[in-house]
Amino acid sequence: MWRPFFRGTLPSRLAAAPALTVFCAVLLAPEGAVAQGYPAKPVRILVGVPPGGGTDILARVLARRLADVFGQQFVVENRPGAGTVIAADLVAKAAPDGHTLLLAINALAANHTLYKKLPYNTLRDFSAVILAASTPNILVAHPSLPAANVREFIALAKARPGEIAYASSGNGSAAYLAAEVFKLATATRMTHVPYKGTGPALTAILAGEAQAMVAALPGAIPFVKEKRLRALALTSAKRAPTVPDIPTLAEAGIKGGEFDTWYGLFAPAATPADIVLRLNATVKTLLASVEVRQQLAAQGLEPAGNTPAEFDKYFRGEVETLARVIRAAGATVD
């Protein structure tokens, strides 16, 4: 029997992760030796998807706030393609000085298993900074599809195996993985149509190129509220305050379909520990502010925040967890 690997917004293992690694790194370096002069120039935050999705929304919120705090530009650069591999590779090969960062999602962990060969080493080429936020995913469909709720959608998918085309924000993306988990939990067959981001994928459904998608909530909210897309169910453990009327899969009696999208900030490996810690402390403070929390909540994003050591442990756990999800679902890069 399929058992979900995602329960709640943030797995409980975060709370117990040790921070010893970071503490030791700080003790071995002169206090603030490097971070005092940071940032010395504009900081690039690379995003592996086009504008319009949760990753881009969160990156721009953080960039504006970080620029205010540091008195230096933080510029969001969208580098979509290859399931976020292009952006990740640019950061992995960037100078480890804190001036090039990556805002990544589950795809960074999933690609370690999905791709037979990557231009970087997932577990060695990045420094975890902070887990910034998470969001539920939502199953949406074009209003013309004859399914008023998720149960009717499943019945339709079973009656027409392989005929429903589901869009995703790219091979290996959280949307792709969430849909694969949904298919596994419901024993349905659908045809995958990848796009270069949440925005293009949702636009494709509106245009009739695909009929459904399991999308991260921030990108889908506007279309759902405008009733241009039909919301069928959330893949989270509980309902989302932003769309309180939309039920979860569990409420529809579907077990094992839970899957949240997370967003984490990374720097290149070997970035000085005091820079990583300064970034971590600053972002954590921003995420704790009432104004930022309200701004993110309006987009369906739930702020997180932890230490670099906790996030590193969480990320490595996600690499292992998503490997099991991918193998169980038989997911491939197509």
Side-chain angles (χ1 to χ4, degrees):
M1 182 177 177
W2 171 257
R3 298 180 62 189
F5 295 107
F6 297 84
R7 296 193 180 277
T9 306
L10 299 176
S12 59
R13 61 177 176 272
L14 278 174
L20 182 60
T21 303
V22 175
F23 292 152
C24 290
V26 174
L27 290 173
L28 292 172
E31 185 177 358
V34 180
Q36 280 184 350
Y38 174 82
K41 58 183 180 180
V43 177
R44 303 157 64 207
I45 302 178
L46 270 64
V47 173
V49 295
T55 318
D56 183 72
I57 291 169
L58 177 60
R60 294 182 188 280
V61 170
L62 291 179
R64 286 193 295 271
R65 302 286 177 166
L66 288 168
D68 291 340
V69 172
F70 285 108
Q72 185 63 266
Q73 281 188 305
F74 279 70
V75 182
V76 176
E77 290 189 17
N78 298 88
R79 295 296 185 96
T84 73
V85 170
I86 292 173
D89 187 40
L90 288 169
V91 174
K93 292 178 170 59
D97 57 9
H99 291 92
T100 305
L101 305 173
L102 175 70
L103 187 64
I105 56 172
N106 314 54
L108 184 64
N111 287 342
H112 185 71
T113 300
L114 277 172
Y115 285 82
K116 293 181 180 179
K117 186 176 182 180
L118 289 168
Y120 54 81
N121 186 297
T122 305
L123 299 175
R124 290 205 307 263
D125 291 345
F126 301 97
S127 294
V129 178
I130 191 168
L131 181 65
S134 69
T135 186
N137 288 283
I138 182 171
L139 173 63
V140 294
H142 192 277
S144 65
L145 201 70
N149 54 57
V150 68
R151 276 312 206 178
E152 291 183 6
F153 178 84
I154 293 168
L156 185 66
K158 288 184 175 180
R160 304 178 186 175
E163 290 186 24
I164 295 177
Y166 74 93
S168 83
S169 47
N171 291 315
S173 66
Y176 169 64
L177 294 167
E180 290 298 310
V181 170
F182 174 81
K183 286 163 58 183
L184 190 63
T186 57
T188 52
R189 284 171 48 207
M190 295 183 286
T191 300
H192 178 218
V193 185
Y195 292 87
K196 291 184 177 180
T198 300
L202 291 168
T203 300
I205 301 175
L206 295 173
E209 295 175 14
Q211 289 78 52
M213 180 179 181
V214 184
L217 196 55
I221 282 177
F223 300 108
V224 169
K225 290 188 173 180
E226 293 167 6
K227 299 190 183 303
R228 297 175 68 192
L229 290 177
R230 180 179 294 143
L232 300 178
L234 294 174
T235 65
S236 53
K238 58 184 180 180
R239 294 197 182 199
T242 319
V243 282
D245 295 335
I246 301 174
T248 65
L249 290 176
E251 288 179 79
I254 300 159
K255 306 299 182 184
E258 293 175 10
F259 193 107
D260 290 332
T261 296
W262 55 259
Y263 306 86
L265 194 64
F266 294 84
T271 298
D274 53 350
I275 289 180
V276 171
L277 285 171
R278 188 175 181 194
L279 281 167
N280 174 274
T282 305
V283 173
K284 191 183 295 182
T285 299
L286 292 175
L287 293 173
S289 73
V290 174
E291 188 176 355
V292 170
R293 294 184 74 86
Q294 290 176 341
Q295 189 174 4
L296 296 182
Q299 299 292 338
L301 292 161
E302 183 173 334
N306 54 6
T307 68
E310 287 169 342
F311 183 34
D312 181 71
K313 182 175 181 179
Y314 172 70
F315 176 66
R316 291 173 184 276
E318 282 291 278
V319 171
E320 296 177 3
T321 295
L322 288 174
R324 295 196 295 271
V325 171
I326 290 162
R327 294 189 194 106
T332 59
V333 173
D334 47 24

